[in-house]
Amino acid sequence: MGSQDEDRFNRLVREQTPAVGNYLRRRLYPLTSSDLDDLVEETMLVVWRRLNDVPLGSELPWMLGVARNVLRNARRTKN
C-alpha cells in the first residue's frame, strides 16, 4: 500500500471513528464498555486490510457494516 492509501486510511480513522464508536456503544450489551476500544480497533483493522473495498462516498455505511460484524463475532466468542 502506498502513501495515498495511508492518507485515506488516516482520514477515515480521523473522520469516522467517533461515529463507529457511537454505533458500537449503543449496541454493546452484553459486552462491557471496556470492550469498546477493542471493537473499534478491530473495525479499523478490517478497514485497513480491505481499504480497496471501501466505497468512495459511502465509507461510513460500509464501516458500520464492518462494525456490526465485528460486534457479532465478539458476542459469539463471549458466549
Side-chain angles (χ1 to χ4, degrees):
M1 293 204 174
S3 66
Q4 282 184 326
D5 291 333
E6 288 181 34
D7 291 344
R8 182 175 184 221
F9 176 73
N10 289 331
R11 181 184 55 79
L12 288 173
V13 168
R14 189 175 51 255
E15 293 175 358
Q16 306 302 345
T17 295
V20 169
N22 287 335
Y23 174 87
L24 290 167
R25 187 176 296 109
R26 288 190 306 268
R27 292 159 177 81
L28 202 54
Y29 182 83
L31 303 174
T32 65
S33 59
S34 65
D35 294 317
L36 182 61
D37 288 340
D38 292 337
L39 295 171
V40 171
E41 195 172 296
E42 179 67 24
T43 299
M44 295 306 160
L45 184 59
V46 172
V47 170
W48 173 248
R49 287 185 196 142
R50 298 194 51 205
L51 189 59
N52 291 329
D53 296 331
V54 180
L56 293 173
S58 297
E59 292 93 344
L60 182 58
W62 191 89
M63 292 172 74
L64 293 179
V66 170
R68 181 178 58 242
N69 291 334
V70 166
L71 183 58
R72 284 181 189 159
N73 289 338
R75 285 180 177 153
R76 275 195 292 266
T77 60
K78 289 282 185 175
N79 293 330

